[in-house]
Amino acid sequence: SQQGEEDPQALSIQEGENATMNCSYKTSINNLQWYRQNSGRGLVHLILIRSNEREKHSGRLRVTLDTSKKSSSLLITASRAADTASYFCATVLYTDKLIFGTGTRLQVFP
Amino acid sequence: DAGVTQSPTHLIKTRGQQVTLRCSPISGHKSVSWYQQVLGQGPQFIFQYYEKEERGRGNFPDRFSARQFPNYSSELNVNALLLGDSALYLCASSLRGVNTEAFFGQGTRLTVV
């Protein structure tokens, strides 16, 4: 079963705009990770945030984590057409087994 | 360095048949996991293997089995295929540990007709 849900399910924006997607999960975690998937193929790791961290940056990506609300958000700044993909959050508890959310489909128009 | 490789990329099988999917992890990675992704959903964990031993199993029937070889490559077997087994099967390799990223292959698209 899925760990939680992502919101929104789909998001359409213009190039240059920021994209924000949210992830909610149900259980305790050790860390939370974000992955991108292009055209239903393999997933690419974007960023990992540990349970004792509140915010993390990587290039144009900013991730926040609120363990009290069991939620995380991914912000992509200055979006590009190449950012068009599905984005998934995944939680980890005791092992490196990933429990994925339902995903957000992002469409960035030129 | 080569990434995670999976074969075949596409497969069409008939209900009731058996299928074997293969995965070669990144060199040096001893942990291999399998995921099933049905269209429109997030990947679901099937198995994890580390050092040739099963370390985790998801909520899948016994028709699903896997193994890991001495070179750390892995096979996923599915018996008595059902239409609902149609999905993208993803293999991921990683260094052992909780705070590690997973590297995914491009997946095997299985269609059961």
Side-chain angles (χ1 to χ4, degrees):
Chain A
S1 62
Q2 308 285 171
Q3 162 69 296
E5 293 188 356
E6 294 179 59
D7 171 57
Q9 290 186 341
L11 179 62
S12 294
I13 59 174
Q14 296 290 130
E15 266 192 329
E17 294 180 338
N18 295 340
T20 299
M21 49 204 88
N22 304 295
C23 165
S24 61
Y25 56 92
K26 299 173 183 175
T27 66
S28 298
I29 62 170
N30 186 289
N31 66 68
L32 185 144
Q33 304 181 29
W34 285 89
Y35 286 82
R36 184 186 73 217
Q37 184 177 39
N38 290 87
S39 303
R41 301 307 290 181
L43 288 88
V44 175
H45 181 266
L46 297 176
I47 198 164
L48 181 155
I49 185 166
R50 302 185 184 199
S51 60
N52 61 353
E53 298 176 310
R54 291 297 168 258
E55 188 171 311
K56 205 160 183 180
H57 297 255
S58 176
R60 294 183 297 113
L61 305 179
R62 172 179 171 257
V63 168
T64 61
L65 178 64
D66 187 335
T67 53
S68 67
K69 295 181 179 178
K70 290 187 169 56
S71 67
S72 175
S73 67
L74 171 67
L75 168 67
I76 304 174
T77 59
S79 295
R80 306 165 181 168
D83 294 327
T84 294
S86 291
Y87 291 81
F88 294 92
C89 67
T91 56
V92 174
L93 184 51
Y94 297 117
T95 69
D96 44 353
K97 161 185 164 183
L98 296 163
I99 306 296
F100 285 89
T102 51
T104 292
R105 295 186 306 278
L106 173 65
Q107 176 79 50
V108 181
F109 291 99
Chain B
D1 286 339
V4 177
T5 57
Q6 291 187 245
S7 62
T9 55
H10 294 84
L11 202 53
I12 299 176
K13 288 287 189 177
T14 305
R15 276 179 299 175
Q17 284 188 316
Q18 175 265 340
V19 68
T20 298
L21 311 181
R22 295 175 176 82
C23 171
S24 292
I26 290 174
S27 178
H29 286 187
K30 299 180 180 180
S31 178
V32 172
S33 298
W34 289 94
Y35 294 83
Q36 180 197 63
Q37 186 178 25
V38 174
L39 194 63
Q41 297 183 19
Q44 300 247 15
F45 172 77
I46 310 176
F47 283 111
Q48 184 197 25
Y49 276 78
Y50 178 74
E51 287 284 13
K52 301 175 288 273
E53 290 188 8
E54 182 182 305
R55 299 290 181 157
R57 184 184 182 116
N59 188 24
F60 281 82
D62 291 344
R63 298 185 296 108
F64 288 76
S65 63
R67 54 180 175 169
Q68 187 177 34
F69 298 98
N71 65 353
Y72 304 110
S73 67
S74 178
E75 287 183 351
L76 175 70
N77 296 284
V78 187
N79 294 323
L81 285 167
L82 303 174
L83 295 180
D85 295 330
S86 295
L88 180 68
Y89 288 84
L90 295 160
C91 173
S93 78
S94 63
L95 296 169
R96 181 66 172 168
V98 174
N99 291 308
T100 57
E101 65 179 279
F103 294 83
F104 283 82
Q106 290 301 297
T108 295
R109 174 75 63 188
L110 172 64
T111 302
V112 182
V113 298

